[in-house]
Amino acid sequence: MPSLRTAEAAISISPNPLINALGWLIGLVVACGIVVINSETHTDLAPTILYITLLLMAANLFSINAVISIALMCILLLTAMFLYNGGYQRWDSTTGFFRCLTALSAITFLALRSKYAADRLRLNEVYLIGAQRLSQTGSVGFRGDGEEMSWSDESARIFEYPLTQPPTAAMVVARTHPDDLASVYEVFAKAARHEPLIEIKHRLLMPDGRIKHVHMIASPLFKQQESCEYLGAIMDITASKEAETALFCAQAQLAHVTRVTSLGELAASIAHEVNQPLSAITSSGEACRRWLDRPVPDLNEALQSLDRIIASSCRASDVISRIRALSRKCDPLRQPESLNNIVSETLGLVQQEMAHHNISPQVELLAFSGQVQVDRVQMQQVIINLIINACHAMGAVKVRDRVLHVRTWISDDEAVVEVADQGSGIAADVLPSLFTPFFTTKESGLGMGLSICRSIIDFHGGRIWATSTVGQGTSFKFALPLLTSGGAN
Ligand code: ADP
């Protein structure tokens, strides 16, 4: 981890004692030299002041204390020289001495001011470099036409170029991942159009094959008719991207495990779903055989039986492929889907489960043309989870009251799905913990279902929430951003 100490080492704000002592020594030698030479040659005081000015300028390299000490030493030596030469006996030399003293004080004041400003500047630079190191954020400056560019050491470090190599747009392009080149060229185009804010997140491909993720944000510093100078920050977000990816993988794996677990719960239901078309195939096959077994085979009826066999086997294979999709371990694939279709398909999968619990579903699917960008399997997982929970919650309710409402509608620019039961309900103090991992009130519960539902809905840019009244039932709703503004038909 880069540290502030490293940055301080790069720019020293307080010179070490050796340099201070050296400053003293040089000051003493030069001042004494000036005094001796001037007293021997009886030179005017003005050139002496010039030398001393140079000395003070040189002292700018040292600490403020050294500058004050050198200035005081010079004033003392000047006074001693004035007294030694008996200058006080002549009026013109006395006035000259005081003029020099005034000039020297003014020069000392200016030298101190510049020294103070320089020190503050160096301190700020240390803070800036330290902060850039710690946050792994470099600064960058570039002209809108891409002709001139400059960056801080941290930026050079992020792009892994030598600190001394002046940056160019070509160097940035050379490090950009080939798949992200178009986005980088788009940034150049935006800069050429002098756009007020430029932001890009892209990948770098290092010569050794490593991938880095960077986030750059820039806005114009100076904007004139023809040219525009941008100032930006480049952040190395590789670590957070990797953590995000690891979290995403872990969530996907967990989602898969719980999906398979709930499939286990649905086994009876699934068996029934597959069994129905299989029975239909058997009876249609037998019918077909009878039509053909006649003295005069009825080919027409036999053909119709064959058509029914084909349709039933298609239904069976459809059910199996839906179940296979649910149990398959694959990366989420978001594509435009109709939420109504997903809800209907999912209801088909849990139909027998509901029948088993004597639950009558009341489905109100609002026909809407708007679509959502979702992973179909993950959405099914959310709905199955909510329905299974609702079935459990209505276990203790009178059979005639076991009604499950499943509704969809559009609200503003969101598609909303509701799964509402008339079960036990949830106490108000428990509601906030519902979506917390491992929260369960069931003896054999894992407490991951709702937590996974939330991470799936979050991944899709939506939101999920619950409202409940103890003894009356619970309603779970989730809303997803609409892909197109179709609205209800
Ligand atoms: P699990 O079902 O394994 O307990 P979930 O995360 O799916 O895990 O649910 C967490 C808890 O939320 C459940 O244990 C239950 O107490 C409560 N809960 C979920 N859905 C309902 C519901 N429809 N009615 C009442 N309580 C519910």
Side-chain angles (χ1 to χ4, degrees):
M1 186 74 182
S3 71
L4 196 62
R5 204 172 280 252
T6 348
E8 265 188 49
I11 294 180
S12 160
I13 48 164
S14 47
N16 63 35
L18 205 71
I19 294 183
N20 239 344
L22 194 70
W24 271 91
L25 197 69
I26 295 172
L28 202 66
V29 169
V30 175
C32 289
I34 292 168
V35 171
V36 171
I37 293 166
N38 281 0
S39 58
E40 288 308 312
T41 56
H42 299 286
T43 316
D44 187 23
L45 285 173
T48 310
I49 293 293
L50 195 69
Y51 293 134
I52 292 171
T53 308
L54 286 174
L55 195 64
L56 284 170
M57 281 166 69
N60 204 23
L61 293 172
F62 310 115
S63 72
I64 285 189
N65 283 347
V67 175
I68 293 173
S69 308
I70 290 172
L72 282 177
M73 202 171 64
C74 290
I75 290 172
L76 278 177
L77 284 170
L78 203 70
T79 313
M81 202 175 75
F82 170 71
L83 294 174
Y84 174 74
N85 286 338
Y88 51 87
Q89 289 162 355
R90 293 190 312 276
W91 174 248
D92 60 334
S93 121
T94 307
T95 53
F97 168 70
F98 280 107
R99 270 203 311 275
C100 286
L101 220 54
T102 315
L104 194 56
S105 308
I107 290 164
T108 308
F109 172 72
L110 290 175
L112 277 174
R113 216 173 69 158
S114 105
K115 172 70 190 151
Y116 181 72
D119 276 2
R120 279 213 63 84
L121 212 62
R122 290 167 85 82
L123 189 68
N124 285 343
E125 206 176 340
V126 168
Y127 286 161
L128 192 69
I129 291 178
Q132 289 201 356
R133 275 282 179 91
L134 286 173
S135 62
Q136 299 196 314
T137 308
S139 52
V140 61
F142 54 92
R143 251 180 35 194
D145 56 13
E147 286 298 313
E148 274 176 28
M149 198 175 167
S150 63
W151 61 23
S152 67
D153 288 358
E154 194 53 32
S155 298
R157 234 171 258 125
I158 291 173
F159 278 80
E160 297 188 12
Y161 280 116
L163 303 189
T164 46
Q165 189 173 349
T168 60
M171 281 162 63
V172 174
V173 169
R175 284 280 191 267
T176 302
H177 192 286
D179 295 348
D180 294 348
L181 271 175
S183 326
V184 169
Y185 285 129
E186 177 56 25
V187 163
F188 293 150
K190 280 183 181 172
R193 292 197 296 269
H194 301 179
E195 287 203 5
L197 185 73
I198 296 177
E199 190 170 3
I200 180 176
K201 277 184 186 171
H202 70 290
R203 286 164 298 168
L204 305 182
L205 181 61
M206 294 302 147
D208 58 5
R210 269 174 309 122
I211 303 258
K212 277 187 169 188
H213 295 261
V214 290
H215 180 191
M216 202 253 333
I217 184 157
S219 62
L221 192 61
F222 308 114
K223 203 169 176 181
Q224 281 163 356
Q225 209 85 54
E226 291 295 295
S227 71
C228 181
E229 187 102 20
Y230 280 89
L231 173 69
I234 301 174
M235 203 186 302
D236 184 346
I237 53 166
T238 312
S240 66
K241 262 278 184 240
E242 279 169 0
E244 206 176 280
T245 313
L247 183 68
F248 181 71
C249 287
Q251 274 179 350
Q253 274 175 358
L254 198 59
H256 175 247
V257 170
T258 51
R259 213 155 57 218
V260 173
T261 313
S262 49
L263 270 183
E265 276 193 59
L266 294 178
S269 201
I270 291 163
H272 185 271
E273 272 280 286
V274 183
N275 218 21
Q276 258 187 343
L278 287 182
S279 316
I281 289 169
T282 314
S283 53
S284 298
E286 281 166 359
C288 181
R289 192 185 180 163
R290 277 198 302 277
W291 293 121
L292 293 176
D293 223 10
R294 286 183 165 199
V296 184
D298 190 334
L299 290 181
N300 218 8
E301 286 292 346
L303 275 176
Q304 279 180 24
S305 297
L306 279 175
D307 284 346
R308 278 196 296 275
I309 289 173
I310 292 167
S312 295
S313 52
C314 283
R315 243 182 73 206
S317 90
D318 190 41
V319 172
I320 288 167
S321 63
R322 268 185 277 149
I323 290 153
R324 276 186 60 193
L326 270 173
S327 61
R328 208 179 300 136
K329 192 176 168 192
C330 52
D331 287 339
L333 175 68
R334 287 174 67 178
Q335 51 193 25
E337 301 271 6
S338 152
L339 210 52
N340 274 353
N341 286 351
I342 296 180
V343 172
S344 311
E345 201 178 286
T346 313
L347 281 168
L349 282 174
V350 289
Q351 204 176 335
Q352 282 308 309
E353 183 71 11
M354 289 193 282
H356 174 71
H357 285 88
N358 297 313
I359 288 168
S360 14
Q362 290 212 349
V363 184
E364 285 170 51
L365 299 187
L366 214 90
F368 53 76
S369 53
Q371 290 198 310
V372 283
Q373 179 90 2
V374 293
D375 178 88
R376 198 178 183 81
V377 170
Q378 287 201 332
M379 279 306 121
Q380 286 181 345
Q381 181 174 4
V382 172
I383 300 164
I384 289 176
N385 230 333
L386 298 181
I387 293 178
I388 291 181
N389 275 346
C391 292
H392 290 162
M394 288 195 282
V397 175
K398 274 190 229 137
V399 170
R400 65 184 151 85
D401 290 340
R402 292 185 193 176
V403 180
L404 178 81
H405 293 275
V406 180
R407 303 186 188 99
T408 60
W409 70 90
I410 283 180
S411 163
D412 297 330
D413 49 359
E414 289 178 319
V416 187
V417 179
E418 180 186 22
V419 175
D421 61 61
Q422 299 186 355
S424 51
I426 303 166
D429 58 328
V430 170
L431 268 179
S433 326
L434 275 190
F435 297 94
T436 313
F438 303 112
F439 173 82
T440 182
T441 55
K442 298 173 192 167
E443 241 172 58
S444 57
L446 195 62
M448 284 310 294
L450 289 177
S451 149
I452 286 167
C453 286
R454 189 171 65 178
S455 63
I456 290 176
I457 299 295
D458 282 352
F459 167 69
H460 288 85
R463 56 205 171 88
I464 181 166
W465 68 101
T467 47
S468 183
T469 311
V470 177
Q472 289 186 21
T474 307
S475 152
F476 279 91
K477 297 188 191 77
F478 66 87
L480 295 165
L482 270 178
L483 195 58
T484 50
S485 51
N489 295 332

